[in-house]
Amino acid sequence: LMIGAEEHFRNTANRTHVTVAERTLATAATMATKRGIPHLFLVNDNASLRLAGVDGAVLGRRHGIYQENLAPFSYISGAHAQLAYSVGQGWTITDKNSSNGTKVDGSALVPEIPCVLHNGSKVQLANVEFFIEIY
């Protein structure tokens, strides 16, 4: 379950080790809020996942800030897809030549071509579905 940066650091204040990925995610989320970027979440209730979108972040089992969350999903590639935000388009996802493909609302993405995401969209990384929340 992904939470805001401030709450995350409150919850981890008693831990002796905070991972680089956790610090990166928290810093990026804080910067996005300051820049006025709408919040994006990838939500999979079955797996109890709520991943906070970060501009430029890679979604993969071996690469990117979500790798600890996605490692259990063997059909997701090491560097499966990438999120991005631009003022003109909003949030997008790009398949990074994944082995098992990426779909948005049931349509397969062409690798390396960004697809605009909308609140309520369904994103499928290989066989794992996420619902998009943007606000």
Side-chain angles (χ1 to χ4, degrees), residues 45-88:
D45 289 331
N46 294 332
S48 298
L49 286 176
R50 183 175 174 84
L51 306 176
V54 174
D55 185 23
V58 172
L59 296 157
R61 287 185 302 115
R62 288 187 220 103
H63 300 283
I65 59 176
Y66 310 107
Q67 63 184 308
E68 290 177 25
N69 303 102
L70 300 177
F73 303 102
S74 61
Y75 289 102
I76 293 178
S77 295
H80 196 99
Q82 187 169 23
L83 298 172
Y85 180 81
S86 69
V87 174

Side-chain angles (χ1 to χ4, degrees), residues 46-127:
N46 294 332
S48 298
L49 286 176
R50 183 175 174 84
L51 306 176
V54 174
D55 185 23
V58 172
L59 296 157
R61 287 185 302 115
R62 288 187 220 103
H63 300 283
I65 59 176
Y66 310 107
Q67 63 184 308
E68 290 177 25
N69 303 102
L70 300 177
F73 303 102
S74 61
Y75 289 102
I76 293 178
S77 295
H80 196 99
Q82 187 169 23
L83 298 172
Y85 180 81
S86 69
V87 174
Q89 289 186 307
W91 282 102
T92 62
I93 189 166
T94 303
D95 182 86
K96 303 305 283 181
N97 293 298
S98 64
S99 298
N100 294 305
T102 302
K103 292 181 181 179
V104 174
D105 295 326
S107 297
L109 299 187
V110 175
E112 302 299 336
I113 303 294
C115 178
V116 175
L117 296 172
H118 302 282
N119 188 45
S121 291
K122 181 174 72 172
V123 170
Q124 187 173 334
L125 304 176
N127 63 344

Side-chain angles (χ1 to χ4, degrees), residues 29-52:
T30 301
M31 293 302 292
T33 301
K34 288 180 181 177
R35 293 190 330 210
I37 294 175
H39 295 279
L40 172 124
F41 292 93
L42 293 97
V43 180
N44 179 310
D45 289 331
N46 294 332
S48 298
L49 286 176
R50 183 175 174 84
L51 306 176

